[in-house]
Amino acid sequence: MQVLRRRRRRLLVLTGLAALLLATSGGLPAVADGQHAGPLQRQVDAIHDTGVVGVSAEVTAPGTRTRAVARAGVAEKGTRRPMPPGGRFRIGSATKTFTATVVLQLVGEGRMSLEDTVERWLPGVVAGGGLDGSRITVRQLLQHTSGIPEVLPEIAALNSADGYRAERFRTYTPQELAGLAMGRPEVMTGDAVWSYSNTNYILAAMIIREVTGRSWDREVADRIIRPLGLSGTSTPGTSPFVPGPHAHAYTTFGTGKGTDAGVIDVTALNTSMAIGSGAVISTTHDLSRFYGALLGGRLLEPAELAEMTSTVEAPGMGVRYGLGLGEIPLTCGGSYYGHPGELLGYRTWAGITRDGSRTAVVYATSDGGPDTQQAMRTLVDQELCGADALGEGRTG
């Protein structure tokens, strides 16, 4: 929070510096907000063609009003209602960047350490089945090298149509989720072993509460959402609804990807099972602003940002992973930072160039087909490579 306050005092200086950097970066031209009639729209159309119901994307130069948006498909099956401008959606695992940011702020304030053990803050929570919280650090939680099992297979609402209908409004406590995870088979542990587990970030949310005495939701709101003015972003708690304008979410629970067979509207969902790991609701524009502020040094001090962006290999993923942030290779050379996300009918991909000069965020509704995820990744890659200029058109 001290970072934000100091930045406000130097607002005029930073505004001029940002304008200078953007003007000399060879990136986005100074074009007013508008609908991208060229390559971005074609990429969005290509994602829609993989079988999703709706798609929306935004490319932005953080710190400026320069942006391009494109949309395709409809907001609700069986209607002609277009994807809403500024539509809100569940960002899924991109939530992890928010959680890691709060943890690193607390580290920077001297209230905890990345080398603290889980046992220090959550005594007795990680135990049994070969797991020992006294041998697992906060860093390992955020880095997915803890070996702690994944809890989501235990969540009925996420795994079948019958389970969704029966339990979509069920509230889980973090303690309950941790207990469910501890009953699952252990993942091999060790500094060199990487294994993605949402449980890591549920535990991180629990640690945030222990350190601050306040809920994860409140810390995210007070430390990130409100200071950045992210008006379309929220942590819904136990509410099953997506507030404000939004497109509906759909899934077949694996029974008919890319077809209408067995498609279920899953927009209503109590996401308490994803506290810390996937519960945030946001917009493409707010996500662009969040990642821009993060990489721009407005949320973390240099030492903590360096910890976040220090990455390890994520075997089988084709990326490297830091603390709540992926490092993904660019086809034009180099890499970018960001995080994909998916939560029951909503999927997103958000990325920002290493120098913070350009962001690209896209989300889609429904499962889509086998090529959907790659098409979304391609859009972010091509837009961050910056080969295409922004065009003017309809405001989005």
Side-chain angles (χ1 to χ4, degrees):
M1 299 307 295
Q2 293 175 348
V3 180
L4 279 170
R5 286 194 289 269
R6 191 161 60 250
R7 294 296 191 217
R8 289 193 190 100
R9 288 196 295 268
R10 295 184 291 170
L11 180 60
L12 293 177
V13 175
L14 286 177
T15 301
L17 179 59
L20 176 61
L21 290 174
L22 286 166
T24 59
S25 68
L28 304 179
V31 181
D33 293 0
Q35 177 93 1
H36 198 323
L40 180 59
Q41 185 63 54
R42 290 196 295 271
Q43 291 157 8
V44 164
D45 290 341
I47 296 169
H48 184 245
D49 289 344
T50 66
V52 299
V53 174
V55 191
S56 184
E58 177 172 320
V59 181
T60 306
T64 77
R65 291 182 58 82
T66 305
R67 66 174 183 154
V69 297
R71 300 184 296 276
V74 295
E76 184 176 3
K77 286 178 66 68
T79 74
R80 297 175 62 86
R81 187 160 61 89
M83 291 291 285
R88 301 178 186 184
F89 59 97
R90 296 189 177 103
I91 70 172
S93 284
T95 295
K96 293 177 175 64
T97 314
F98 285 75
T99 300
T101 299
V102 173
V103 170
L104 286 165
Q105 286 181 346
L106 294 171
V107 169
E109 294 164 10
R111 301 173 70 177
M112 62 179 294
S113 167
L114 289 173
E115 309 315 321
D116 287 347
T117 66
V118 175
E119 183 68 13
R120 173 180 175 179
W121 294 107
L122 304 174
V125 172
V126 176
L131 292 167
D132 182 355
S134 68
R135 300 176 62 186
I136 298 171
T137 65
V138 173
R139 181 189 301 277
Q140 289 175 308
L141 292 182
L142 300 183
Q143 199 176 57
H144 292 300
T145 54
S146 69
I148 293 173
E150 173 63 79
V151 70
L152 294 191
E154 300 297 319
I155 309 301
L158 301 181
N159 291 290
S160 72
D162 288 343
Y164 171 78
R165 294 186 183 101
E167 299 203 358
R168 65 189 182 275
F169 300 124
R170 176 177 173 177
T171 295
Y172 291 87
T173 67
Q175 293 76 11
E176 182 182 7
L177 294 167
L180 289 171
M182 295 310 113
R184 292 185 55 76
E186 178 191 8
V187 179
M188 186 181 300
T189 59
D191 287 343
V193 177
W194 190 89
S195 179
Y196 193 88
S197 173
N198 286 281
T199 313
N200 288 320
Y201 279 75
I202 293 168
L203 294 170
M206 294 172 68
I207 290 173
I208 288 169
R209 185 178 191 98
E210 290 301 313
V211 174
T212 66
R214 306 196 317 164
S215 70
W216 169 82
D217 302 72
R218 188 169 176 183
E219 289 297 321
V220 169
D222 287 351
R223 290 173 173 270
I224 300 174
I225 296 173
R226 276 194 281 274
L228 295 181
L230 306 181
S231 59
T233 302
S234 61
T235 54
T238 60
S239 171
F241 306 113
V242 179
H246 63 276
H248 287 233
Y250 301 92
T251 188
T252 64
F253 291 99
T255 62
K257 280 194 172 184
T259 74
D260 285 336
V263 173
I264 298 172
D265 188 323
V266 289
T267 311
L269 180 69
N270 177 336
T271 57
S272 56
M273 86 290 285
I275 183 173
S277 66
V280 168
I281 292 170
S282 192
T283 68
T284 56
H285 190 54
D286 276 6
L287 279 182
S288 292
R289 294 178 61 203
F290 165 63
Y291 280 105
L294 179 61
L295 268 293
R298 293 184 59 200
L299 293 171
L300 296 176
E301 297 286 358
E304 283 68 53
L305 184 58
E307 292 281 12
M308 175 177 270
T309 56
S310 178
T311 59
V312 298
E313 289 289 345
M317 301 289 288
V319 304
R320 295 178 64 85
Y321 201 86
L323 306 182
L325 198 66
E327 182 183 1
I328 302 136
L330 285 165
T331 57
C332 55
S335 60
Y336 69 93
Y337 293 114
H339 213 297
E342 183 173 356
L343 183 57
L344 204 59
Y346 289 110
R347 57 202 317 181
T348 187
W349 199 292
I352 182 168
T353 52
R354 293 175 68 94
D355 64 1
S357 65
R358 191 177 179 106
T359 63
V361 181
V362 58
Y363 80 97
T365 60
S366 76
D367 300 329
D371 299 324
T372 299
Q373 190 79 342
Q374 183 56 51
M376 294 175 72
R377 181 170 178 171
T378 296
L379 181 150
V380 173
D381 176 87
Q382 292 186 11
E383 291 298 330
L384 294 186
C385 277
D388 303 313
L390 291 174
E392 295 187 57
R394 180 166 56 84
T395 297

